[in-house]
């Protein structure tokens, strides 16, 4: 309890982290209450109001089909955040499992798992995602899966390193000599001690996943039926010269969200584990 | 000592390289259904499908396909592109100079902005300048590079007309190339510059707190000499590490930036090949990028010993 309190204190003392948490909370609220916030139907086509510049009615103008940009970006928070959270959830579970097994069992299992992780890490994340999408088709689910696969090694590495540093500690030996089985030691006693770096990693990886989905949409490999922020920016690309406002707000939404997540990740890291300072980078 | 480490590190890269090629081999075999059908579409005649399977080597037993593929792949032979009938390797080597110049230019931008900014921020810790620079770095990291590139185009190409919107210029003209390269390099290098700035700042802060820096100051050396000659030199290793670790991402980023600025680099080849389902070209290009990343990691690892004489390779 005392540890939790001091954590909270350390976190509260970090102004950037509190701002980050506030931004992230705000974006989540926008996603949840999108129907109440959006002034227009995001899909309502109005060909008479095509590519209108920002005005009192349409704050950030309209797109090439006359749809209100603000409404589209507000609703776009839903699929964009979903990509971030779902892909991170998958990668966290799978990566943690690999990392635990590699670190705890060691020897040939460790060598094999980490070799496979090295191979996956050799492919630039974006390329790996592109290949997965070109093979299995462009859908939001495949995007989440692709980003998750490409992120697994990062989790495996972080968890493995933490396991290696705690598994020789006395308390593990103690519970083991008390008769605790492998599964109990792994999930109850070791996993709880690798949570801190794991949470920090997951936070910055949500940001990375949102950015990658946006990049994939931009390249034309997104899910055309899901109006993510990346998709909204991509639709504005052909009109950069005559209607630059179409691409502006979607990109701003991505930037602000990613910035919030990065600030939050930095703050969590400083609060939970000062040794990791400067280690986290997105992308 | 160092040479034996380099040799061992080289040997340990071999299974990774073979693994990378195996994954690339599996890509096409993992396509749900018939890859020949996927390439030719649903109206293909049976004769065409058979011919396509033959040209992909899919009519042979899997083991034989694998050995043939690997035997050619280690010689960087990935067959011919479906789109252009050129060899896959030829298309890559034609596009390579554009991608390398873009990558190096982006890294250059990131370093000349990131390192000095990090040094200044650490020397003026907790000042308004420090906060400003740190915030700018975080912004650079957080903005999607294609969006930042779009903003650059809107402001500097469309509004001000200083730079061209797209293209790569004519070959042979240095100034022409620089004219076309400036905006793409800034768009691609911004995130890296932010990361380098943060790393430089935190490494500098750590070094500035050490005894030898205090000694240098106590000797009466000018602060700027202490910061640049004593502290900066000892702070560069983590910066080199982070640059090396992030080069893979930089390489991935060229795909996006080349697409945005319509530059004829390898990323562009990759995207075109994907749209056309040109599997040999996709395989070759992905393998090339992955091999590049493995090589870069190797170089980063072996360069530590040259940068820091304290590192011993046991």
């Amino acid at each position: 309890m005392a540890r939790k309190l001091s954590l909270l204190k350390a976190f509260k003392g970090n102004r950037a982290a509190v701002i980050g948490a506030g931004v992230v909370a705000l974006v989540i609220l926008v996603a949840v209450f999108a129907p109440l916030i959006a002034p227009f139907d995001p899909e309502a086509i109005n060909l008479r109001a095509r590519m209108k510049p920002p005005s009192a009615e349409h704050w950030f103008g309209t797109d090439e089909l006359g749809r209100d940009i603000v409404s589209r970006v507000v609703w776009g928070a839903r699929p964009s955040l979903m990509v971030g959270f779902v892909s991170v959830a998958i990668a966290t579970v799978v990566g943690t499992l690999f990392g635990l097994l590699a670190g705890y069992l060691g020897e040939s299992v460790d060598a094999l798992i980490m070799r496979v992780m090295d191979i996956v890490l050799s492919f630039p994340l974006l390329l790996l995602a592109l290949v997965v999408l070109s093979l299995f088709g462009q859908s939001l689910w495949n995007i989440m899966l692709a980003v998750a696969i490409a992120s697994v090694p990062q989790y495996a590495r972080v968890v493995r390193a933490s396991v290696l540093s705690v598994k020789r500690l006395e308390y593990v030996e103690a519970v083991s000599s008390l008769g605790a089985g492998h599964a109990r030691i792994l999930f109850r006693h070791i996993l709880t001690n690798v949570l801190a770096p794991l949470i920090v990693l997951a936070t910055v990886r949500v940001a990375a996943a949102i950015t990658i989905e946006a990049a994939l949409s931009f390249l034309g490999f997104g899910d055309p039926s899901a109006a993510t922020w990346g998709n909204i920016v991509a639709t504005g690309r052909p009109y950069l010269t005559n209607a630059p406002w179409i691409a502006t707000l979607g990109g701003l939404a991505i930037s602000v969200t990613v910035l919030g997540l990065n600030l939050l990740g930095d703050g969590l890291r400083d609060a939970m584990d000062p040794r990791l300072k400067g280690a986290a980078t997105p992308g | 000592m160092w040479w034996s480490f380099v040799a061992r590190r080289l040997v340990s890269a071999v299974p990774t390289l073979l693994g990378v090629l195996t994954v690339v081999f599996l890509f096409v075999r993992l396509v749900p259904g018939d890859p020949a059908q996927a390439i030719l579409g649903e109206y293909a005649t049976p004769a065409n499908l058979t011919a396509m399977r033959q040209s992909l080597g899919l009519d042979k037993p899997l083991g034989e396909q694998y050995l043939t593929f690997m035997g050619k792949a280690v010689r960087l032979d990935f067959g011919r592109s479906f789109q252009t009938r050129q060899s896959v390797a030829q298309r890559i080597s034609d596009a390579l100079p554009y991608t390398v110049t873009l990558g190096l230019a982006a890294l250059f931008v990131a370093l000349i902005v990131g390192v000095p900014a990090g040094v200044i921020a650490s020397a003026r810790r907790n000042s308004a300048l420090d906060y400003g620079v740190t915030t700018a770095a975080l912004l650079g990291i957080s903005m999607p590079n294609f969006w930042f590139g779009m903003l650059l185009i809107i402001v500097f190409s469309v509004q001000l007309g200083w730079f061209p919107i797209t293209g790569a210029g004519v070959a042979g003209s240095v100034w022409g190339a620089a004219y076309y390269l400036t905006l793409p390099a800034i768009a691609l290098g911004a995130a890296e510059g932010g990361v380098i700035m943060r790393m430089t700042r935190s490494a500098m802060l750590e070094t500035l707190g050490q005894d030898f820096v205090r000694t240098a100051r106590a000797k009466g050396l000018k602060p700027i000499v202490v910061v640049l000659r004593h502290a900066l030199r000892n702070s560069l290793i983590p910066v080199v590490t982070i640059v090396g670790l992030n080069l893979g991402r930089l390489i991935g980023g060229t795909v996006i930036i080349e697409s945005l600025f319509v530059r004829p680099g390898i990323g562009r080849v990759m995207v075109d090949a994907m749209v056309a389902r040109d599997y040999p070209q996709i395989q070759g290009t992905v393998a090339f990028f992955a091999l590049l990343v493995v090589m870069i990691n190797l170089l980063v690892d072996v360069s530590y010993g040259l940068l820091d004489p304290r590192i011993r390779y046991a």
Side-chain angles (χ1 to χ4, degrees):
Chain A
M1 214 39 212
R3 187 176 140 74
K4 265 188 195 150
L5 275 179
S6 69
L7 248 177
L8 199 65
K9 225 177 176 177
F11 187 80
K12 273 189 178 165
N14 185 335
R15 206 178 348 145
V18 174
I19 296 174
V23 170
V24 173
L26 194 70
V27 175
I28 293 175
L29 283 179
V30 167
V32 172
F33 295 108
L36 301 176
I37 298 169
F40 293 89
D41 177 352
E43 301 297 334
I45 293 171
N46 179 358
L47 293 179
R48 255 176 283 169
R50 290 175 76 235
M51 299 208 276
K52 288 271 179 260
S55 64
E57 194 186 6
H58 300 285
W59 291 357
F60 275 83
T62 61
D63 68 6
E64 80 285 6
L65 296 173
R67 297 173 296 192
D68 178 53
I69 300 283
V70 172
S71 305
R72 289 185 69 69
V73 170
V74 166
W75 278 89
R78 289 184 170 190
S80 291
L81 287 185
M82 189 170 82
V83 169
F85 288 120
V86 173
S87 64
V88 161
I90 301 172
T92 308
V93 172
V94 180
T96 303
L97 220 55
F98 279 134
L100 282 176
L101 288 176
Y104 190 68
L105 296 177
E107 294 175 20
S108 55
V109 178
D110 183 22
L112 180 70
I113 291 179
M114 293 327 283
R115 178 66 72 187
V116 172
M117 295 299 138
D118 276 351
I119 292 168
V120 177
L121 271 183
S122 302
F123 296 95
L125 208 166
L126 185 73
L127 283 188
L128 200 61
L130 276 174
V131 171
V132 172
L133 290 177
S134 78
L135 297 184
F136 299 104
Q138 294 169 230
S139 73
L140 211 53
W141 171 246
N142 282 346
I143 291 177
M144 295 190 270
L145 207 62
V147 175
I149 293 172
S151 309
V152 161
Q154 313 241 1
Y155 293 88
R157 280 191 165 184
V158 166
V159 171
R160 175 180 176 270
S162 301
V163 172
L164 287 179
S165 70
V166 297
K167 83 166 177 184
R168 298 262 170 256
L169 294 183
E170 281 165 10
Y171 81 94
V172 174
E173 212 173 301
V175 290
S176 160
S177 62
L178 283 173
H182 287 309
R184 191 179 164 81
I185 294 177
L186 262 181
F187 289 101
R188 179 104 199 207
H189 298 286
I190 290 186
L191 186 58
T192 45
N193 275 287
V194 303
L195 276 181
L198 204 57
I199 291 171
V200 173
L201 182 65
T203 310
V204 291
R205 295 307 291 179
V206 172
I210 291 174
T211 311
I212 301 251
E213 187 282 325
L216 290 168
S217 291
F218 169 77
L219 288 173
F221 293 92
D223 183 341
S225 66
T228 59
W229 289 330
N231 232 325
I232 297 169
V233 178
T235 54
R237 184 183 171 191
Y239 312 106
L240 277 190
T241 45
N242 49 354
W245 55 84
I246 298 179
T248 312
L249 191 64
L252 196 63
I254 301 172
S255 305
V256 169
T257 308
V258 171
L259 185 71
L261 285 161
N262 283 335
L263 284 172
L264 181 62
D266 282 1
L268 285 172
R269 184 197 56 215
D270 292 349
M272 292 200 277
D273 193 350
R275 282 169 304 164
L276 290 171
K277 222 170 173 135
T281 54
Chain B
M1 276 294 244
W2 186 69
W3 280 111
S4 85
F5 169 77
V6 173
R8 262 182 295 131
R9 189 64 185 75
L10 270 172
V11 171
S12 83
V14 172
T16 309
L17 290 176
L18 294 178
V20 162
L21 292 176
T22 306
V23 172
V24 170
F25 168 79
L26 289 175
F27 279 159
V28 173
R29 276 79 195 169
L30 282 173
V31 179
D34 183 356
Q37 190 93 60
I39 293 164
L40 295 173
E42 52 185 313
Y43 299 112
T45 64
N48 284 342
L49 286 175
T50 313
M52 178 54 81
R53 274 186 217 114
Q54 251 168 13
S55 87
L56 285 171
L58 292 172
D59 52 339
K60 305 207 178 65
L62 200 64
E64 195 187 325
Q65 289 180 33
Y66 180 64
L67 290 180
T68 316
F69 175 84
M70 293 300 272
K72 285 186 172 170
V74 291
R75 282 174 278 141
L76 296 179
D77 175 4
F78 292 94
R80 287 183 175 280
S81 156
F82 288 160
Q83 289 168 285
T84 63
R85 305 307 305 163
Q86 268 178 305
S87 90
V88 164
Q90 185 63 45
R91 267 189 92 187
I92 293 175
S93 73
D94 286 347
L96 187 61
Y98 291 101
T99 302
V100 171
T101 27
L102 174 59
L104 288 179
L107 200 58
F108 177 72
V109 169
L111 284 169
I112 57 161
V113 175
V115 173
V119 170
I120 292 168
S122 69
R124 296 268 177 275
R125 191 181 185 182
N126 291 336
S127 67
L129 192 64
D130 183 15
Y131 286 125
V133 170
T134 311
T135 309
L138 207 56
L139 270 178
I141 295 172
S142 301
M143 279 188 296
N145 51 15
F146 61 88
W147 185 65
F148 185 46
M150 282 182 177
L151 293 186
L152 291 175
I153 290 178
I154 292 173
V155 175
F156 293 102
S157 302
V158 178
Q159 306 283 344
L160 297 171
W162 290 356
F163 294 100
I165 296 177
T166 56
V170 279
S173 154
V174 177
W175 283 113
Y179 176 60
Y180 280 93
L181 201 54
T182 306
L183 293 188
I186 294 173
L188 183 59
E192 232 40 66
V195 172
I196 290 172
M197 178 271 150
R198 278 158 56 110
M199 209 60 193
T200 309
R201 179 179 177 275
S202 71
M204 282 291 290
L205 286 177
E206 202 164 296
T207 319
L208 286 170
Q210 286 183 4
D211 287 345
F212 73 89
V213 172
R214 198 155 8 120
T215 310
R217 286 212 169 113
K219 281 198 301 196
L221 291 179
K222 280 186 195 151
I224 188 159
V225 175
V226 175
V227 166
L228 292 184
R229 194 177 301 162
H230 292 72
L232 181 59
R233 278 182 61 178
N234 283 287
S235 305
L236 282 180
I237 290 202
V239 176
V240 172
T241 310
I242 205 85
V243 168
L245 284 176
N246 283 338
L247 273 179
R249 191 176 58 167
L250 196 74
I251 292 169
T254 60
V255 177
I256 300 169
I257 298 300
E258 282 171 1
S259 170
L260 174 61
F261 288 93
V262 198
R263 289 175 59 84
I266 304 178
R268 187 80 216 151
V269 170
M270 174 79 188
V271 173
D272 288 348
M274 296 211 14
V275 172
R277 288 183 174 273
D278 183 350
Y279 285 121
Q281 190 68 54
I282 296 175
Q283 284 184 315
T285 316
V286 172
F288 176 79
F289 274 123
L291 299 182
L292 203 61
V293 171
V294 174
M295 294 303 175
I296 289 168
N297 288 343
L298 199 73
L299 278 177
V300 172
D301 272 7
V302 300
S303 65
Y304 289 145
L306 298 178
L307 282 170
D308 189 347
R310 285 169 302 184
I311 293 177
R312 294 274 171 269
Y313 298 98

